[in-house]
Amino acid sequence: MRSIRVGLIGWGTVGCGVIQVLRENEADIRNRLGVPLELRRVADLDIDRPRPVSVPRDLLTNRIDDILNDPDIDIVVELIGGLDAAREVIRRAIDSGKHVVTANKALLAHSGNELFRVAAERGRAIGFEASVAGGIPLIKALREGLAGNRIQTIFGILNGTANYILTRMAEGGLSFEDALGEAQQMGYAEANPALDVEGIDTAHKLAIASALSFGTPIRFDEVYTEGISHIDPDDIQFGEEFGYSLKLLAIARHMDGRIETRVHPTLIPRHHVLASVKGAYNAVHVQGNAVGNIMLYGMGAGMMPTGSAVVGDLIDLARDILGSTPGRVPALAFQPDRLAEIAIKPIADVSTCYYFRFSALDQPGVLSKVSGILGKFHISIAAVIQKGRRKASSVPIVMLTHEALESNVRAALAEIDQLDIVTAPTQIIRIENQETNNFF
């Protein structure tokens, strides 16, 4: 049989990784498939700019149509990013009878349901391993390795930029701004880092992973999302005094007929394995009713790890082409007509433990006023650190709570922040520990 031919659209960092993996591992890939996996064409708007991985001139084009209209190309790899243009590329590739591989988590979070439906109707498949957790094979684990399980919980660190920033704030005592600047110098953060530091990138990935886990359509708009730009080094230090580390976590649970999907800074016990995940690394915990608790760990981004995930999808699709079994594994793990519109639990209905840092005047009766309001809203205090004394100035009062309802917490803090003894809005960070999660 002839080779399986690939057209690559987007010759950027990940595109270079894909080309490098195909070259370095060409013999192994051919031995696994039985036929060559051939890079037929590479398209990019700028084909003259130097890259870390070169491409023969006769393979290059600045016309996407040279790939989409080539009847010999079996699989199109979309690596241009963004929403509208990438969506059009994927739709046209599918309409022209080609399978697709993409690393575009934002596109799938917004339009994945539509694209998967169209692909299935055309008898084509979309590979998207690289869209979540970079080189970590999380998608394959959820779709295939754990197919015999009812997934109960998935949570972890899904953004290397945010994790690097929080690591530097914790270990170097840096402010958020200084840690972000360092991440940008290191190449971990973009010039406009909002998608990473505001939790949006993580929410894209969680929306995809939770759909795969729980058999429901992708619903990015219903993921509660909160970033790390408001985090102060003092909060990291106080958390450490209580025995916690701070991470930006993606959390999804299927409990009592509803799903929690939330992304926010989270304090986790310092002894938990996720607390040791530092720098730009990712890690994901999955709990299945049969397998129990497992964790996947590795580089969540980068040229070669992400290139590895894309090539893994290429090999999977090539095997399906060779076996005439496209769409053998449903895109979202469950058969399309069995996906369920499971209710998403609003953040107001979530119960967890909390960290509060109040800024209050240093005078008698402050603690009793604050604790009285918390008690009024059924919020029980687990631990307190009170710093002082500073006459005529505010001091931090730090509290940890037992499990409480988010709506009660919001109501209590709204009342506390109106007290004349409170000088700034209360800082709030959620906590995951043994009281709220049996992983800890």
Side-chain angles (χ1 to χ4, degrees), residues 244 253 255 260 262 267-269 271-272 350-355 378-383 400-405 430-440:
Y244 289 94
R253 293 193 183 98
M255 293 177 58
E260 292 180 23
R262 46 193 172 102
L267 287 168
I268 59 175
H271 61 76
H272 190 270
V350 169
S351 291
T352 191
C353 299
Y354 294 85
Y355 161 103
H378 313 290
I379 300 166
S380 177
I381 300 169
L400 303 189
T401 77
H402 292 293
E403 192 169 347
L405 187 66
R430 294 167 193 86
I431 301 172
E432 290 290 317
N433 56 23
Q434 188 65 50
E435 189 172 336
T436 62
N437 191 318
N438 64 7
F439 278 6
F440 292 96

Short mmCIF file of all heavy atoms in Angstrom, two decimals, residues 244 253 255 260 262 267-269 271-272 350-355 378-383 400-405 430-440:
data_model
loop_
_atom_site.label_atom_id
_atom_site.label_comp_id
_atom_site.label_asym_id
_atom_site.label_seq_id
_atom_site.Cartn_x
_atom_site.Cartn_y
_atom_site.Cartn_z
N TYR A 244 0.04 24.36 53.22
CA TYR A 244 -0.54 24.24 51.88
C TYR A 244 0.37 24.87 50.83
O TYR A 244 1.15 25.78 51.11
CB TYR A 244 -1.90 24.95 51.81
CG TYR A 244 -3.00 24.25 52.57
CD1 TYR A 244 -3.30 24.61 53.89
CD2 TYR A 244 -3.75 23.24 51.98
CE1 TYR A 244 -4.32 23.97 54.59
CE2 TYR A 244 -4.77 22.61 52.67
CZ TYR A 244 -5.04 22.98 53.97
OH TYR A 244 -6.04 22.35 54.66
N ARG A 253 -15.96 17.30 38.68
CA ARG A 253 -16.53 16.17 39.43
C ARG A 253 -17.95 15.88 38.95
O ARG A 253 -18.71 16.80 38.66
CB ARG A 253 -16.59 16.48 40.93
CG ARG A 253 -15.27 16.61 41.62
CD ARG A 253 -15.47 16.59 43.14
NE ARG A 253 -14.21 16.79 43.83
CZ ARG A 253 -13.79 17.95 44.32
NH1 ARG A 253 -14.55 19.02 44.20
NH2 ARG A 253 -12.63 18.06 44.93
N MET A 255 -21.11 14.34 40.55
CA MET A 255 -21.66 13.91 41.83
C MET A 255 -23.14 14.26 41.89
O MET A 255 -23.54 15.36 41.50
CB MET A 255 -20.94 14.59 43.01
CG MET A 255 -19.49 14.19 43.19
SD MET A 255 -18.72 15.12 44.54
CE MET A 255 -19.79 14.66 45.91
N GLU A 260 -19.49 19.48 38.49
CA GLU A 260 -18.73 20.69 38.80
C GLU A 260 -17.63 20.84 37.75
O GLU A 260 -16.90 19.88 37.48
CB GLU A 260 -18.04 20.59 40.17
CG GLU A 260 -18.94 20.58 41.36
CD GLU A 260 -18.15 20.47 42.66
OE1 GLU A 260 -16.94 20.83 42.66
OE2 GLU A 260 -18.71 20.01 43.65
N ARG A 262 -14.68 23.76 37.29
CA ARG A 262 -14.18 25.05 37.78
C ARG A 262 -12.66 25.11 37.68
O ARG A 262 -11.96 24.11 37.83
CB ARG A 262 -14.64 25.29 39.22
CG ARG A 262 -14.47 24.12 40.18
CD ARG A 262 -15.24 24.38 41.48
NE ARG A 262 -15.26 23.22 42.36
CZ ARG A 262 -14.48 23.08 43.44
NH1 ARG A 262 -13.62 24.03 43.76
NH2 ARG A 262 -14.56 22.01 44.20
N LEU A 267 -5.53 26.09 47.17
CA LEU A 267 -4.55 25.61 48.15
C LEU A 267 -4.72 24.11 48.31
O LEU A 267 -5.85 23.62 48.53
CB LEU A 267 -4.75 26.32 49.49
CG LEU A 267 -4.31 27.78 49.53
CD1 LEU A 267 -4.82 28.47 50.80
CD2 LEU A 267 -2.80 27.92 49.44
N ILE A 268 -3.62 23.37 48.19
CA ILE A 268 -3.64 21.93 48.35
C ILE A 268 -2.59 21.54 49.39
O ILE A 268 -1.59 22.24 49.56
CB ILE A 268 -3.38 21.20 47.02
CG1 ILE A 268 -2.01 21.59 46.44
CG2 ILE A 268 -4.49 21.48 46.03
CD1 ILE A 268 -1.64 20.82 45.19
N PRO A 269 -2.80 20.45 50.13
CA PRO A 269 -1.83 20.05 51.16
C PRO A 269 -0.43 19.89 50.58
O PRO A 269 -0.24 19.34 49.48
CB PRO A 269 -2.38 18.71 51.65
CG PRO A 269 -3.85 18.77 51.37
CD PRO A 269 -3.96 19.54 50.09
N HIS A 271 1.87 17.95 51.27
CA HIS A 271 2.34 16.57 51.12
C HIS A 271 1.76 15.90 49.88
O HIS A 271 2.18 14.81 49.49
CB HIS A 271 1.98 15.74 52.35
CG HIS A 271 0.49 15.66 52.61
ND1 HIS A 271 -0.35 14.86 51.88
CD2 HIS A 271 -0.28 16.30 53.52
CE1 HIS A 271 -1.60 14.99 52.33
NE2 HIS A 271 -1.58 15.87 53.32
N HIS A 272 0.76 16.52 49.23
CA HIS A 272 0.16 15.89 48.06
C HIS A 272 1.10 15.96 46.87
O HIS A 272 1.84 16.93 46.70
CB HIS A 272 -1.18 16.55 47.71
CG HIS A 272 -1.96 15.79 46.68
ND1 HIS A 272 -1.83 16.02 45.34
CD2 HIS A 272 -2.84 14.77 46.81
CE1 HIS A 272 -2.61 15.18 44.68
NE2 HIS A 272 -3.24 14.42 45.54
N VAL A 350 -21.45 25.16 45.07
CA VAL A 350 -20.28 24.33 45.41
C VAL A 350 -19.94 24.50 46.88
O VAL A 350 -19.96 25.61 47.42
CB VAL A 350 -19.08 24.72 44.52
CG1 VAL A 350 -17.80 24.07 45.02
CG2 VAL A 350 -19.35 24.33 43.07
N SER A 351 -19.60 23.40 47.52
CA SER A 351 -19.14 23.43 48.91
C SER A 351 -17.67 23.02 48.95
O SER A 351 -17.29 21.99 48.37
CB SER A 351 -19.96 22.49 49.79
OG SER A 351 -21.27 22.98 49.95
N THR A 352 -16.85 23.81 49.61
CA THR A 352 -15.45 23.49 49.78
C THR A 352 -14.93 24.23 51.00
O THR A 352 -15.70 24.92 51.69
CB THR A 352 -14.64 23.84 48.51
OG1 THR A 352 -13.34 23.29 48.61
CG2 THR A 352 -14.56 25.33 48.29
N CYS A 353 -13.65 24.09 51.29
CA CYS A 353 -13.03 24.86 52.37
C CYS A 353 -12.41 26.13 51.78
O CYS A 353 -12.15 26.20 50.58
CB CYS A 353 -11.96 24.02 53.07
SG CYS A 353 -12.60 22.52 53.85
N TYR A 354 -12.16 27.11 52.64
CA TYR A 354 -11.72 28.42 52.15
C TYR A 354 -10.59 28.99 52.99
O TYR A 354 -10.48 28.71 54.19
CB TYR A 354 -12.89 29.43 52.16
CG TYR A 354 -13.98 29.08 51.20
CD1 TYR A 354 -15.00 28.19 51.55
CD2 TYR A 354 -14.00 29.60 49.91
CE1 TYR A 354 -16.01 27.86 50.66
CE2 TYR A 354 -15.00 29.27 49.00
CZ TYR A 354 -16.00 28.40 49.38
OH TYR A 354 -16.98 28.06 48.50
N TYR A 355 -9.79 29.81 52.29
CA TYR A 355 -8.78 30.67 52.91
C TYR A 355 -9.27 32.10 52.76
O TYR A 355 -9.64 32.53 51.65
CB TYR A 355 -7.46 30.47 52.18
CG TYR A 355 -6.41 31.56 52.36
CD1 TYR A 355 -5.32 31.37 53.20
CD2 TYR A 355 -6.48 32.76 51.64
CE1 TYR A 355 -4.33 32.35 53.33
CE2 TYR A 355 -5.51 33.74 51.76
CZ TYR A 355 -4.44 33.53 52.61
OH TYR A 355 -3.47 34.50 52.74
N HIS A 378 -23.24 30.32 58.68
CA HIS A 378 -22.93 28.89 58.82
C HIS A 378 -21.54 28.53 58.31
O HIS A 378 -21.34 27.47 57.73
CB HIS A 378 -23.98 28.02 58.11
CG HIS A 378 -25.40 28.42 58.41
ND1 HIS A 378 -25.97 28.22 59.65
CD2 HIS A 378 -26.34 29.04 57.65
CE1 HIS A 378 -27.22 28.68 59.63
NE2 HIS A 378 -27.46 29.17 58.43
N ILE A 379 -20.58 29.43 58.54
CA ILE A 379 -19.20 29.19 58.13
C ILE A 379 -18.37 28.99 59.38
O ILE A 379 -18.25 29.89 60.22
CB ILE A 379 -18.66 30.37 57.31
CG1 ILE A 379 -19.52 30.56 56.05
CG2 ILE A 379 -17.20 30.13 56.92
CD1 ILE A 379 -19.30 31.88 55.36
N SER A 380 -17.80 27.79 59.51
CA SER A 380 -17.06 27.41 60.72
C SER A 380 -15.57 27.61 60.50
O SER A 380 -15.00 27.18 59.49
CB SER A 380 -17.34 25.94 61.05
OG SER A 380 -16.59 25.53 62.15
N ILE A 381 -14.92 28.27 61.45
CA ILE A 381 -13.49 28.58 61.37
C ILE A 381 -12.67 27.38 61.80
O ILE A 381 -12.91 26.79 62.85
CB ILE A 381 -13.14 29.80 62.23
CG1 ILE A 381 -13.93 31.03 61.76
CG2 ILE A 381 -11.64 30.09 62.19
CD1 ILE A 381 -13.84 32.20 62.71
N ALA A 382 -11.66 27.03 60.99
CA ALA A 382 -10.79 25.90 61.31
C ALA A 382 -9.47 26.35 61.92
O ALA A 382 -8.89 25.66 62.76
CB ALA A 382 -10.51 25.07 60.05
N ALA A 383 -8.94 27.51 61.49
CA ALA A 383 -7.65 28.00 62.00
C ALA A 383 -7.55 29.49 61.71
O ALA A 383 -8.18 30.01 60.79
CB ALA A 383 -6.49 27.26 61.32
N LEU A 400 -8.73 29.95 57.94
CA LEU A 400 -9.14 28.80 57.16
C LEU A 400 -10.48 28.33 57.69
O LEU A 400 -10.72 28.37 58.90
CB LEU A 400 -8.13 27.66 57.25
CG LEU A 400 -6.68 27.93 56.86
CD1 LEU A 400 -5.90 26.63 56.81
CD2 LEU A 400 -6.57 28.68 55.55
N THR A 401 -11.35 27.89 56.80
CA THR A 401 -12.66 27.43 57.22
C THR A 401 -12.81 25.93 57.00
O THR A 401 -12.06 25.32 56.24
CB THR A 401 -13.78 28.13 56.44
OG1 THR A 401 -13.88 27.55 55.12
CG2 THR A 401 -13.54 29.63 56.34
N HIS A 402 -13.79 25.36 57.68
CA HIS A 402 -14.26 24.03 57.31
C HIS A 402 -15.12 24.17 56.05
O HIS A 402 -15.34 25.28 55.55
CB HIS A 402 -15.05 23.42 58.46
CG HIS A 402 -14.22 23.10 59.66
ND1 HIS A 402 -13.25 22.12 59.66
CD2 HIS A 402 -14.20 23.65 60.91
CE1 HIS A 402 -12.66 22.06 60.84
NE2 HIS A 402 -13.22 22.98 61.63
N GLU A 403 -15.61 23.07 55.55
CA GLU A 403 -16.38 23.11 54.31
C GLU A 403 -17.59 24.02 54.46
O GLU A 403 -18.32 23.97 55.45
CB GLU A 403 -16.83 21.69 53.93
CG GLU A 403 -17.39 21.57 52.54
CD GLU A 403 -17.57 20.13 52.11
OE1 GLU A 403 -17.04 19.23 52.77
OE2 GLU A 403 -18.23 19.92 51.07
N ALA A 404 -17.79 24.87 53.47
CA ALA A 404 -18.88 25.83 53.49
C ALA A 404 -19.43 26.00 52.08
O ALA A 404 -18.76 25.70 51.08
CB ALA A 404 -18.40 27.17 54.04
N LEU A 405 -20.65 26.50 51.99
CA LEU A 405 -21.31 26.73 50.71
C LEU A 405 -20.85 28.07 50.13
O LEU A 405 -20.84 29.09 50.82
CB LEU A 405 -22.82 26.72 50.91
CG LEU A 405 -23.70 26.77 49.67
CD1 LEU A 405 -23.53 25.51 48.83
CD2 LEU A 405 -25.17 26.94 50.06
N ARG A 430 -9.89 29.12 47.44
CA ARG A 430 -10.53 27.85 47.80
C ARG A 430 -9.46 26.81 48.15
O ARG A 430 -8.32 26.91 47.70
CB ARG A 430 -11.42 27.37 46.66
CG ARG A 430 -12.60 28.31 46.43
CD ARG A 430 -13.31 28.04 45.10
NE ARG A 430 -14.22 29.15 44.81
CZ ARG A 430 -13.85 30.27 44.19
NH1 ARG A 430 -12.59 30.42 43.80
NH2 ARG A 430 -14.72 31.23 43.98
N ILE A 431 -9.86 25.84 48.95
CA ILE A 431 -8.95 24.80 49.45
C ILE A 431 -9.51 23.44 49.06
O ILE A 431 -10.71 23.18 49.19
CB ILE A 431 -8.80 24.88 50.98
CG1 ILE A 431 -8.25 26.24 51.40
CG2 ILE A 431 -7.89 23.75 51.49
CD1 ILE A 431 -8.25 26.45 52.92
N GLU A 432 -8.63 22.58 48.56
CA GLU A 432 -8.98 21.17 48.37
C GLU A 432 -8.12 20.35 49.33
O GLU A 432 -6.89 20.44 49.31
CB GLU A 432 -8.71 20.73 46.93
CG GLU A 432 -9.66 21.34 45.91
CD GLU A 432 -11.06 20.80 46.01
OE1 GLU A 432 -11.22 19.57 46.18
OE2 GLU A 432 -12.02 21.60 45.91
N ASN A 433 -8.76 19.58 50.20
CA ASN A 433 -8.04 18.77 51.17
C ASN A 433 -8.86 17.53 51.49
O ASN A 433 -9.84 17.21 50.81
CB ASN A 433 -7.72 19.59 52.43
CG ASN A 433 -8.96 20.18 53.07
OD1 ASN A 433 -10.07 19.70 52.87
ND2 ASN A 433 -8.78 21.25 53.84
N GLN A 434 -8.49 16.84 52.53
CA GLN A 434 -9.16 15.60 52.88
C GLN A 434 -10.63 15.81 53.17
O GLN A 434 -11.48 14.96 52.94
CB GLN A 434 -8.48 14.95 54.09
CG GLN A 434 -9.00 13.56 54.43
CD GLN A 434 -8.69 12.54 53.34
OE1 GLN A 434 -7.56 12.44 52.91
NE2 GLN A 434 -9.69 11.79 52.90
N GLU A 435 -10.96 17.00 53.67
CA GLU A 435 -12.34 17.29 54.02
C GLU A 435 -13.23 17.40 52.78
O GLU A 435 -14.42 17.12 52.83
CB GLU A 435 -12.40 18.61 54.82
CG GLU A 435 -13.74 18.91 55.42
CD GLU A 435 -13.69 20.10 56.35
OE1 GLU A 435 -12.60 20.40 56.88
OE2 GLU A 435 -14.73 20.72 56.58
N THR A 436 -12.65 17.82 51.66
CA THR A 436 -13.44 18.07 50.45
C THR A 436 -13.19 17.06 49.35
O THR A 436 -13.97 16.99 48.40
CB THR A 436 -13.13 19.47 49.90
OG1 THR A 436 -11.75 19.53 49.53
CG2 THR A 436 -13.44 20.54 50.92
N ASN A 437 -12.12 16.28 49.43
CA ASN A 437 -11.73 15.44 48.29
C ASN A 437 -10.94 14.25 48.79
O ASN A 437 -9.95 14.41 49.49
CB ASN A 437 -10.86 16.27 47.33
CG ASN A 437 -10.63 15.57 46.00
OD1 ASN A 437 -10.38 14.38 45.96
ND2 ASN A 437 -10.70 16.32 44.92
N ASN A 438 -11.37 13.04 48.41
CA ASN A 438 -10.70 11.86 48.93
C ASN A 438 -9.37 11.56 48.24
O ASN A 438 -8.74 10.56 48.50
CB ASN A 438 -11.61 10.63 48.84
CG ASN A 438 -11.97 10.25 47.41
OD1 ASN A 438 -11.44 10.80 46.45
ND2 ASN A 438 -12.89 9.30 47.28
N PHE A 439 -8.91 12.44 47.33
CA PHE A 439 -7.56 12.31 46.78
C PHE A 439 -6.51 12.69 47.79
O PHE A 439 -5.35 12.36 47.63
CB PHE A 439 -7.40 13.22 45.57
CG PHE A 439 -7.94 12.65 44.29
CD1 PHE A 439 -8.65 11.47 44.26
CD2 PHE A 439 -7.76 13.33 43.10
CE1 PHE A 439 -9.15 10.96 43.07
CE2 PHE A 439 -8.25 12.84 41.91
CZ PHE A 439 -8.95 11.65 41.91
N PHE A 440 -6.88 13.47 48.81
CA PHE A 440 -5.85 14.08 49.66
C PHE A 440 -5.69 13.32 50.99
O PHE A 440 -6.59 13.01 51.66
CB PHE A 440 -6.20 15.54 49.93
CG PHE A 440 -6.10 16.38 48.71
CD1 PHE A 440 -7.21 16.66 47.94
CD2 PHE A 440 -4.88 16.84 48.27
CE1 PHE A 440 -7.12 17.43 46.79
CE2 PHE A 440 -4.77 17.61 47.12
CZ PHE A 440 -5.90 17.91 46.39
#
